[in-house]
Amino acid sequence: MEKPVIISIRGTQASEPGQEDVMELVTQGTLKGQEGDFSLSYRESELTGLEGTTTTFHIEKDQITLIREGTLTSEMIFQVGKKHFSPYQTPFGGIILGVNTQKAFSDMTETGGSISIRYIMEVENERVGENSFEIQVSEPTPGSLPLDQ
């Protein structure tokens, strides 16, 4: 199964307690897969600062993997109770991120669903922030833009 979907994303970054940056985005994307193994992809825009990058969430039973390819390249594995180290490559150089997942949940089906991720990010074993993604995925309605253009 592969089909177009509408993706609503709310991303939060907190580098210090009480200092949150929130980014909200509604975009079109593609949902692929079948029960228990889904892939959700979309192209980043200038709004996110990642123009020229495609973001994909691979959703499996016990983990969610975020892969970015293009202007920025990274792979982050979200698995509750485990810390994963992930390469993060930008046009200015690369670093290794530590990702300590507090929550990784999805109820994705072939008609859409949600993804909820909360994690602590580290650089060189130093905590640099607590981040989260709340993502809603739905089928487009007739006449919804930009899918019908």
Side-chain angles (χ1 to χ4, degrees):
M1 180 273 313
E2 178 177 339
K3 66 180 181 178
V5 291
I6 301 295
I7 305 168
S8 300
I9 303 167
R10 178 181 167 89
T12 304
Q13 295 179 328
S15 55
E16 295 181 25
Q19 293 186 345
E20 280 190 354
D21 289 323
V22 177
M23 187 267 318
E24 294 188 18
L25 172 71
V26 177
T27 189
Q28 69 181 30
T30 303
L31 179 63
K32 298 178 188 176
Q34 55 193 6
E35 198 63 40
D37 188 12
F38 289 98
S39 175
L40 177 67
S41 298
Y42 64 94
R43 295 183 66 82
E44 295 284 353
S45 69
E46 188 177 334
L47 175 68
T48 64
L50 301 174
E51 189 173 22
T53 300
T54 298
T55 296
T56 302
F57 287 90
H58 288 287
I59 305 150
E60 300 173 79
K61 181 180 176 183
D62 65 341
Q63 75 180 35
I64 300 170
T65 304
L66 180 150
I67 298 170
R68 288 194 167 122
E69 297 175 305
T71 307
L72 176 121
T73 303
S74 70
E75 178 177 292
M76 300 169 75
I77 299 171
F78 303 104
Q79 191 172 23
V80 175
K82 294 188 178 181
K83 182 194 278 188
H84 290 275
F85 293 93
S86 304
Y88 192 88
Q89 188 68 40
T90 73
F92 309 104
I95 58 174
I96 300 293
L97 299 177
V99 177
N100 188 352
T101 306
Q102 298 172 314
K103 179 180 182 181
F105 169 80
S106 176
D107 62 1
M108 199 63 60
T109 68
E110 291 183 6
T111 60
S114 64
I115 300 170
S116 182
I117 300 170
R118 189 174 61 244
Y119 62 100
I120 295 169
M121 191 162 43
E122 300 174 353
V123 175
E124 295 184 17
N125 292 317
E126 291 289 324
R127 182 180 173 147
V128 294
E130 185 171 325
N131 302 335
S132 67
F133 290 109
E134 297 297 330
I135 302 170
Q136 300 296 319
V137 180
S138 59
E139 295 179 319
T141 57
S144 62
L145 296 176
L147 294 173
D148 294 335
Q149 292 181 340

